[in-house]
Amino acid sequence: MVKKVTLTNSVTKDSIVIDSKDGYYIIDEIDWDTPSVEMSAYRVPYQIGQSYAGLTVGTRKPTITGYVVAKDVEQASTWEQYWQNCETAVQDKKEELDRIISIYQEMVIEANGFYLGARPTAPPKYSTTYKENNEVLCKFILEFECFNPMFYKETKTINFSVLKNKFKFPLTIPKTKGITMGVEHRQKIILFENNGDVPVGCIIRMKAVSDTLITQQVSSITEDAKIIFSDLNMSAGDEIVINTNIGEESVKLHTQSGDEVSIVGNMEVGYKLFKILIGKNYYSYETQPSDGVMDVTFEYREQYFNIRGM
């Protein structure tokens, strides 16, 4: 069971915590919903049965039910004044909830270390009965739709450059020269692991450390796919950003001057914006000339249908 969720407005960055035990917002029930799955198939004449063609996963519509409660209320000399203070505290927290949960702004729901992008489908709904809406508490319902129904973890960043430690103890520093604390090595092949439930896209960043005219190749050994840029003129600080996430695909050059230019025309024919498959994936990177200096990183998020505690 999920005992605590944090709701963050992606625009204002304001957030609230809805807990099962303590706080101004108390969880009553969470329905995470299950996205629909629609399979498609085809058949040819005289075929027995059908052939699988693919599937479509629908959206997720979670609902959070809970209570706004009066807490840390200022004491009063009369019961009437005390109840008024409780009601004021409840109304203040309802206004906070109304401000954070906006149908015009994206939300991020965090639960047990997983995240879910969501959009409210309605403002917070409050009970209309006195039993559930009074001076000390008020029941609310929050309704969302997640157009990407998958939970995700923090972004993983993999760098093709690794630092080999040269530091040894005890430390002796010669008077006439310094010491080497570490040596940077650029790996040619690197292993990525996707422990999620689905293949995911990634963001590949290739940043020039020096001015260079270079041919670059990033390859997915697992998928036998390549992305090659031929004779691309880059200045120090320029960065190629390749986004392979579904619906966000792009290949752009970000220059030091702040320009953003599509460089699909610099890619060799037959390229494929590969995904990070479930399990182990091997990728390679190389440049021509071989001494071209580039910082190369991959960023991706593992995605899951369900999370621990649902």
Side-chain angles (χ1 to χ4, degrees):
M1 177 180 177
V2 174
K3 298 181 179 180
K4 182 172 73 172
V5 296
T6 301
L7 306 181
T8 303
N9 186 303
S10 298
V11 177
T12 66
K13 305 304 179 184
D14 293 331
S15 64
I16 59 171
V17 176
I18 307 179
D19 205 326
S20 61
K21 295 182 180 180
D22 192 20
Y24 295 101
Y25 305 99
I26 302 298
I27 293 174
D28 179 35
E29 180 184 1
I30 301 178
D31 178 5
W32 292 108
D33 191 30
T34 301
S36 61
V37 177
E38 181 180 344
M39 295 191 180
S40 57
Y42 66 91
R43 61 182 305 168
V44 298
Y46 309 109
Q47 179 178 354
I48 298 175
Q50 293 180 311
S51 297
Y52 172 80
L55 60 82
T56 301
V57 180
T59 62
R60 184 190 298 268
K61 297 180 179 180
T63 301
I64 300 175
T65 304
Y67 291 89
V68 180
V69 297
K71 184 185 176 187
D72 299 333
V73 178
E74 182 180 352
Q75 296 298 317
S77 56
T78 64
W79 279 108
E80 181 180 1
Q81 183 61 50
Y82 176 73
W83 295 127
Q84 288 180 359
N85 293 344
C86 289
E87 184 175 10
T88 298
V90 170
Q91 295 303 319
D92 288 345
K93 289 303 175 181
K94 287 170 65 177
E95 288 181 3
E96 180 182 45
L97 194 62
D98 291 336
R99 186 177 64 255
I100 292 177
I101 308 298
S102 170
I103 60 173
Y104 298 105
Q105 296 166 336
E106 293 277 351
M107 303 290 300
V108 175
I109 304 173
E110 179 185 356
N112 293 349
F114 292 81
Y115 301 86
L116 185 65
R119 182 175 285 275
T121 57
K125 298 178 181 179
Y126 301 106
S127 175
T128 57
T129 66
Y130 183 76
K131 182 179 179 180
E132 297 176 337
N133 188 351
N134 50 55
E135 296 88 347
V136 296
L137 60 82
C138 179
K139 187 175 184 178
F140 64 81
I141 298 176
L142 306 178
E143 298 173 331
F144 304 91
E145 183 161 5
C146 307
F147 295 97
N148 180 353
M150 308 299 292
F151 293 92
Y152 62 88
K153 286 187 174 183
E154 293 280 0
T155 300
K156 285 187 174 182
T157 301
I158 308 295
N159 200 320
F160 271 83
S161 298
V162 295
L163 189 65
K164 186 176 181 181
N165 185 17
K166 292 291 185 178
F167 178 85
K168 294 183 179 180
F169 188 82
L171 180 63
T172 302
I173 303 178
K175 293 182 179 180
T176 57
K177 61 179 181 178
I179 62 171
T180 301
M181 301 296 291
V183 177
E184 185 181 38
H185 293 274
R186 284 178 166 78
Q187 303 175 95
K188 294 297 184 181
I189 298 177
I190 199 166
L191 168 66
F192 295 6
E193 288 195 67
N194 178 5
N195 297 312
D197 297 332
V198 295
V200 296
C202 62
I203 295 177
I204 307 170
R205 301 182 184 275
M206 297 185 286
K207 189 172 184 178
V209 178
S210 60
D211 296 348
T212 184
L213 178 65
I214 200 168
T215 296
Q216 303 175 77
Q217 175 176 308
V218 181
S219 303
S220 169
I221 300 173
T222 305
E223 289 190 75
D224 191 24
K226 298 178 181 179
I227 299 176
I228 302 175
F229 298 95
S230 297
D231 297 332
L232 186 61
N233 198 354
M234 297 180 68
S235 301
D238 289 353
E239 184 178 48
I240 298 172
V241 180
I242 305 170
N243 191 337
T244 73
N245 289 291
I246 296 176
E248 304 175 8
E249 292 91 341
S250 64
V251 183
K252 295 181 179 180
L253 174 65
H254 297 252
T255 67
Q256 279 287 78
S257 59
D259 294 330
E260 187 177 293
V261 183
S262 174
I263 54 171
V264 173
N266 291 88
M267 301 172 67
E268 291 196 0
V269 176
Y271 72 87
K272 179 182 178 181
L273 298 182
F274 42 72
K275 302 294 187 286
I276 299 179
L277 305 181
I278 300 172
K280 295 182 178 181
N281 296 260
Y282 291 91
Y283 293 87
S284 67
Y285 171 74
E286 58 183 294
T287 63
Q288 294 292 335
S290 59
D291 60 350
V293 181
M294 303 285 292
D295 280 337
V296 182
T297 59
F298 277 62
E299 301 171 3
Y300 65 99
R301 290 172 171 172
E302 296 170 336
Q303 299 187 15
Y304 302 82
F305 279 107
N306 295 316
I307 61 174
R308 187 181 182 89
M310 287 181 63

